[in-house]
Amino acid sequence: MGATGAVFQPELIELMRAVLDDAAVMLPEAKRTSAMKAEIASHILACAAKGERDPVALRMATLSAIVECTHYSHDISPERRVV
């Protein structure tokens, strides 16, 4: 994802953790695996490494990437897709 060598301040780490938790809750419970959380975290780290700090934008970019690269898009209701 390209976040190698990035240094994050404690406040940003806390923000990224909250975004990870929020994004994971939006997935169907059966898909909230450690592998999926690792994938989500990877996308969050990549976006943060590029300078993104808005939690809504981080969550939207992350969930969009997850939906696009998996077959889980049909499992996420339209209401949940609107982040």
Side-chain angles (χ1 to χ4, degrees), residues 1 6-7 17 20 23 26 34-35 38 40 52 56 59-60 62 64 70 75:
M1 284 278 125
V7 177
R17 177 58 188 217
L20 172 62
M26 298 189 84
S34 58
I40 292 169
E52 185 59 67
V56 174
R59 186 175 63 226
M60 287 176 58
T62 300
S64 294
T70 66
D75 290 337

Side-chain angles (χ1 to χ4, degrees), residues 1 20 24 27 31-46 62 66:
M1 284 278 125
L20 172 62
L27 293 173
K31 305 297 183 190
R32 294 180 206 159
T33 64
S34 58
M36 183 56 72
K37 285 185 179 181
E39 185 71 22
I40 292 169
S42 178
H43 286 286
I44 292 169
L45 286 167
T62 300
I66 294 297

Side-chain angles (χ1 to χ4, degrees), residues 12-35:
L12 180 55
I13 293 170
E14 187 175 320
L15 171 78
M16 290 188 296
R17 177 58 188 217
V19 170
L20 172 62
D21 292 342
D22 289 348
V25 167
M26 298 189 84
L27 293 173
E29 191 171 342
K31 305 297 183 190
R32 294 180 206 159
T33 64
S34 58

